[in-house]
Amino acid sequence: NAGVTQTPKFQVLKTGQSMTLQCAQDMNHNSMYWYRQDPGMGLRLIYYSASEGTTDKGEVPNGYNVSRLNKREFSLRLESAAPSQTSVYFCASSDGGRVSTFGSGTRLTVV
Amino acid sequence: QQQVKQSPQSLIVQKGGISIINCAYENTAFDYFPWYQQFPGKGPALLIAIRPDVSEKKEGRFTISFNKSAKQFSLHIMDSQPGDSATYFCAARWNTGNQFYFGTGTSLTVIP
């Protein structure tokens, strides 16, 4: 089915470990986004990529890096995980500035 | 600072009733206002959206009412059904077209 695919679905990290969350979309959308969702906080934008080759910081970029590998793929990297990064992470894509499709999320726990 | 304020945090409605969720914003740089529906374990899905030059938009049982002067908008779910039980998020798009700010979410439970 067409959409946004995120991997992994679940991950447990120890403080200080690194990992990369993968995201791919097959809708030929130009823009891609990484959000985190925390209880009582809604969704907060970490980074976004308006088009292939560009990335920009969102509301909460500290502790994260991103790579727009090609038009389809947008990865999120945690270089040194901290307990404050325990969250559910969502990748999304859009065409024309209308966020239309989210992935099913990655539930990350940092212990 | 929460750019988009959403209320209530939770809502319980009888089947067939009307569910109303409210959002407010301050910044006039927002130019597009979507609502998302999220079921447990899933990502949010776009439900309905409105631009600020329109006061109301209806799609089936879902209606957005928009009050530009008051900087408020609301989602009305008519004839609420148990299948509507989910978390609803309002959002606002910055007029540069790429940054969306989300409300904190409303957990809706529709009881039979």
Side-chain angles (χ1 to χ4, degrees), chain A residues 33 37 40 97-99 102-103, chain B residues 32 36 38 89 93 98 100:
Chain A
Y33 309 80
Q37 184 176 29
R98 181 172 176 251
V99 179
F102 280 78
Chain B
Y32 177 73
Y36 289 84
Q38 184 180 28
F89 292 95
R93 184 184 70 183
N98 280 302
F100 285 76

Side-chain angles (χ1 to χ4, degrees), chain B residues 7-86:
Chain B
S7 62
Q9 185 175 352
S10 62
L11 182 61
I12 300 174
V13 173
Q14 292 271 6
K15 178 182 175 181
I18 302 173
S19 303
I20 301 174
I21 304 170
N22 300 300
C23 285
Y25 64 98
E26 284 297 324
N27 203 312
T28 56
F30 294 131
D31 68 350
Y32 177 73
F33 301 87
W35 283 89
Y36 289 84
Q37 179 188 56
Q38 184 180 28
F39 294 104
K42 304 291 185 182
L46 181 65
L47 187 63
I48 187 173
I50 197 167
R51 297 188 185 279
D53 53 350
V54 175
S55 61
E56 185 175 283
K57 183 173 181 180
K58 184 176 181 179
E59 290 184 2
R61 296 185 293 108
F62 299 91
T63 300
I64 300 177
S65 297
F66 191 86
N67 186 328
K68 188 174 182 178
S69 60
K71 299 179 188 172
Q72 296 175 347
F73 58 111
S74 59
L75 176 70
H76 296 234
I77 306 174
M78 312 300 287
D79 187 27
S80 298
Q81 299 297 313
D84 297 330
S85 297

Side-chain angles (χ1 to χ4, degrees), chain A residues 31 33 35 37-38 40-45 48-50 57-59 90 94 96-105 107, chain B residues 1-3 9 32 34 36 38 41-46 49 51 57 87 89 93 96-105:
Chain A
S31 301
Y33 309 80
Y35 290 90
Q37 184 176 29
D38 302 291
M41 303 284 287
L43 291 116
R44 292 180 292 169
L45 182 64
Y48 66 96
S49 171
K57 295 178 180 179
E59 296 176 76
F90 287 100
S94 75
R98 181 172 176 251
V99 179
S100 60
T101 308
F102 280 78
S104 58
R107 187 172 295 274
Chain B
Q1 180 187 359
Q2 194 71 31
Q3 293 273 3
Q9 185 175 352
Y32 177 73
Y36 289 84
Q38 184 180 28
K42 304 291 185 182
L46 181 65
R51 297 188 185 279
K57 183 173 181 180
T87 299
F89 292 95
R93 184 184 70 183
T96 56
N98 280 302
Q99 290 212 42
F100 285 76
Y101 293 88
F102 284 78
T104 51

